[in-house]
Amino acid sequence: MTRRSMTSVLLLLTVAAFLLSLMAGKVWIWPTSWAADNADGWIFLELRLPRAALGLCIGAVLGVSGAVMQGYLRNPLADPTVLGVSASAALGGVLAIFTGVNLLPFGLFGSAMIGASASILLLLAISRGGGPIGFILGGMVLSTLAGALTAFVISIAPNPFAVSEIINWLMGALTDRLMSDLWTALPFMALGTLLLLSTGRALDALTLGENGARSLGIDLLRLQWIIVLGVGLAVGASVAVSGVVGFVGLIVPHLIRGLYGEQPSQILLPSALGGAILTLTADSLVRLVPGPGEVRLGIAMAVLGAPFFLALLLRYRKRAA
């Protein structure tokens, strides 16, 4: 199958996952009721449509972010969650909730994006020259530190309502999101995604090493700042609107490489589509779990992603042995 055909299949699967997300739930809402002037029509317009649209955007953002980070770091284990970017964005959001900055226009989004961007800069600083293992260890340090600081902020929160709001947000979910949440997050995620998609040629050159990339005219400092800004905007905005939804950027690029090959520029757009498919499908399935409530999307992705990460880690350790 050609790459164009595979991309067409991914597009069809994305549409199918989006339609499933619009219909699935404790109460199924079929297309004939989407425009109805009754409870089903209201649920569709007010809850299902923004939830599905956010799932589509967030999955695409996380998928392409993981593909770009793996290409730039030349590390197949790189991912916003593994490297502490999502945790740092969450810390920024928690601080915004704790201090009341989230009540300001774009306060929560700005804090989360600053946290995500700062974490990438710190990661590059503390892991320089350490190779793939250095990046993973640096990311674990950042993730642990961000988690510890988040727990500290929760422990000193002034009232139980703030604690409840922070914890519910941290678990990661698309429940009860509105169209206003989508319109607030979309510009940041779109701009960040466009920046990340523009790095394809430079990432291809970087497969030859830094000296090889420079000889081809690639400005590595400019590339670094594009990635910092792109991931900061995209991942920061996605965390701000949904909480931490992990491992999408780890799982999807690996699956896509099996279809498209190792060239970084060829897997960026397919990774975005794959991320959207995975996130939409997972969010549909968590609604169908028996019981009055539903499993949080962030928890479901962690249960799926942690074994996947462990399997990859063992696989690459065997190769290095």
Side-chain angles (χ1 to χ4, degrees), residues 206-282:
L206 202 56
T207 59
L208 303 174
E210 293 188 2
N211 291 332
R214 288 193 185 95
S215 69
L216 293 174
I218 302 300
D219 186 338
L220 295 182
L221 182 60
R222 179 175 179 272
L223 174 63
Q224 175 182 308
W225 281 107
I226 288 175
I227 293 175
V228 167
L229 183 59
V231 173
L233 287 170
V235 175
S238 70
V239 170
V241 76
S242 69
V244 178
V245 178
F247 294 105
V248 175
L250 177 68
I251 296 172
V252 170
H254 279 278
L255 300 179
I256 294 297
R257 280 193 200 94
L259 300 173
Y260 284 78
E262 297 291 333
Q263 189 176 355
S265 63
Q266 295 299 315
I267 71 167
L268 297 187
L269 180 58
S271 291
L273 295 174
I277 294 167
L278 177 60
T279 304
L280 285 168
T281 303

Side-chain angles (χ1 to χ4, degrees), residues 12 82 89 96 119 132 143 159-160 175 183:
L12 290 174
V82 175
S119 70
S143 184
N159 60 72
T175 310
W183 296 128

